[in-house]
Amino acid sequence: MSEPLFSVLLTFGALLGLIAIRVPIGLSLITVSFVGIAHETSLRAAIGSISRLPYELSTNWSFSAVPMFLLMGFVASETGLTKGLFNASRALLARLPGALACASVLASALFAAASGSSVATAASMSRIAIPEMLSRKYDPGLACGTIAASGTLGSLIPPSILMILYGVYADVSIGGLFLAGVLPGILSVLIYMTMIVVRCGLNPALGGAATDDEIEPFTRKLLFDIAPLPLLILIVMGSISLGIATPTEAGALGALGAVAIAVVSGRFRLAAFLRALQQSALSFTAIFIIVIGGALLTRYSAVVGLNGMLEDLFQRSAAGPLVLILAVSLLYIVLGMFIDSIGLLLLTAPLILPLAGSLDMDLIWFGIILIKLLEIGLITPPIGLNIFVIQSALDGKVRLPTIFGGVTWFIAMDILTLAILIAVPAIALWLPSRFF
């Protein structure tokens, strides 16, 4: 075995070992990359790299969109702009079989799009929607699986923190990525809801059917309850697609819009706004440390020549884009059980993006495929992160095997959606082609 290859294997083995013993992924990335660069070059070069990277990243204009969208989401959550989503969705979809589960998908998708956090969505919606479904005699697996899976949709439905990070690393248009995620996000929601309707229609015992007097009419009040988040998303996406604002400016506009809507609706409280600022700062700090680690790993990969090794391997094996997608799918589904989506994306980006570029793959479409894979990893047994978040939020009232059994239907739907997106790239690329 050649020395560079041995160094790479040792470095990534140490990285996975640190993650396995629960060392924070940002610190793990920084540590092994720093040691790797020092070994391959010199300690002085490693110190130079780690001292320059934070400054270089902080001056990246596109990356500055992350705190803006975090602030928008936290303001919307802290000021109660998300509270009416479930009730409004339930009234809107009341006539469908499995109406509460369908409403949970729609409400969770909107909530996740604003919050940018699958874990936060799963925790919040599990306290709101799952008790309601269980009280109506819904199958516990269906109820929990619905929230676990639909909470992940915020990564695909713009604005998305993962899309911003991917866009920075892949050097592609973040606005184009946002537009590319719209139709795949809608497709995912529709496929989830179709599966629920079909299953509950064939087996009514899965979802308690509401009687006519229990069905709440969709009133003007409910419309006002559900309107703020779609309005925010429309402001953000409209300003980007029309060329009025860059993604960073659109994020700032979204944060300002969230504050304005909270003020107009009478929900604004200074304490809530200060909490939103604090949570945004803490979240961005955690993300920034991971980004520094990912950038340092990219630097190490360049020093050791890892990208060239992988490209030579693919060229010798005559592997095409489909082989790369299958390999990445396996990698993401396995690692996604253990590593959060942001950490996994930044851990693997230095390895797979050069390969995708060498195979002349469209990097915007490839980014949508990666983000969909990251979503699947969050709910994949035996250690899907969202599964344990839901069980914890429910204080163990629903057993883990029941939740895992319920979520397998949604994993199957995710695989179906992924296959459609791979077979028909135009679903992701049509909107970007119209505006960019």
Side-chain angles (χ1 to χ4, degrees), residues 194-212:
T194 300
M195 181 269 290
I196 292 169
V197 169
V198 171
R199 287 188 68 202
C200 291
L202 295 175
N203 183 7
L206 289 174
T211 60
D212 288 342

Side-chain angles (χ1 to χ4, degrees), residues 47-71:
I47 294 173
S49 294
I50 201 170
S51 61
R52 287 193 303 270
L53 274 176
Y55 175 76
E56 292 173 1
L57 291 169
S58 65
T59 56
N60 187 314
W61 177 247
S62 296
F63 186 58
S64 61
V66 175
M68 295 295 98
F69 285 115
L70 285 172
L71 181 59

Side-chain angles (χ1 to χ4, degrees), residues 142 192 195 199 404-414:
L142 174 63
Y192 280 173
M195 181 269 290
R199 287 188 68 202
F404 281 130
V407 85
T408 52
W409 283 91
F410 292 90
I411 294 175
M413 295 303 101
D414 278 333

Side-chain angles (χ1 to χ4, degrees), residues 8 12 37 295-308 350-351:
V8 168
F12 279 88
I37 293 173
L296 201 60
L297 183 65
T298 302
R299 191 75 53 93
Y300 166 75
S301 300
V303 168
V304 80
L306 178 59
N307 297 338
L351 307 179

Side-chain angles (χ1 to χ4, degrees), residues 117-178:
S117 169
S118 171
V119 171
T121 302
S124 299
M125 294 302 297
S126 62
R127 295 186 179 96
I128 298 170
I130 293 179
E132 183 74 15
M133 285 190 275
L134 295 180
S135 69
R136 299 293 181 91
K137 308 300 181 186
Y138 271 66
D139 176 76
L142 174 63
C144 296
T146 298
I147 300 302
S150 55
T152 66
L153 294 173
S155 301
L156 196 58
I157 299 174
S160 164
I161 302 301
L162 280 178
M163 288 183 182
I164 297 172
L165 296 177
Y166 175 84
V168 170
Y169 266 77
D171 194 25
V172 297
S173 167
I174 294 172
L177 281 168
F178 279 3

Side-chain angles (χ1 to χ4, degrees), residues 9 15 93 95 98-99 121 180 188 201 203 208 226 233 262 264 280 318 349 352 373 396:
L9 293 176
L15 176 59
L93 304 171
R95 301 288 176 180
T121 302
S188 296
N203 183 7
I226 203 174
I233 295 172
V264 171
S280 300
I352 59 180
L373 285 168

